[in-house]
Amino acid sequence: MANHPHLHLQPDQLYPFDARGIAKRFRHAAIFGALDALVPGETMRFVNDHDPLPLLDQLRQRYDEAVSINYVQREPGQIVIDFVREA
């Protein structure tokens, strides 16, 4: 049996996170938990139905430069953002 490391332990991985399926009252806590679980070089691809500007402000305050925020798609009803954990 080959020894395959768990995917989470490999850098430069992309992890999808669809916020649309999470109850609104739990979304921010779930997002923070997911970002805290990333290691440097990993990316969480966040999908939402609206532009989460208050959340982005919270992320900038909480993570500063440890997480970069990059829009992949920014259209009404379809927001895709890559959150990249920096070193």
Side-chain angles (χ1 to χ4, degrees), residues 6-19:
H6 188 274
L7 283 179
H8 183 73
L9 299 178
Q10 296 186 18
D12 303 321
Q13 292 292 319
L14 182 78
Y15 298 97
F17 186 101
D18 191 337

Side-chain angles (χ1 to χ4, degrees), residues 10-80:
Q10 296 186 18
D12 303 321
Q13 292 292 319
L14 182 78
Y15 298 97
F17 186 101
D18 191 337
R20 298 170 297 184
I22 299 173
K24 289 184 181 185
R25 66 181 290 200
F26 301 125
R27 281 185 190 171
H28 287 204
I31 293 162
F32 294 146
L35 289 173
D36 288 344
L38 294 177
V39 298
E42 292 182 327
T43 300
M44 181 177 85
R45 175 152 293 167
F46 173 85
V47 177
N48 204 10
D49 56 3
H50 66 278
D51 204 349
L53 298 177
L55 170 68
L56 299 182
D57 288 340
Q58 290 178 347
L59 293 177
R60 288 182 186 105
Q61 290 175 4
R62 181 176 175 137
Y63 296 103
D64 195 28
E65 295 180 9
V67 173
S68 64
I69 300 169
N70 306 304
Y71 280 89
V72 175
Q73 185 173 354
R74 196 174 190 179
E75 299 173 14
Q78 183 67 21
I79 303 296
V80 180

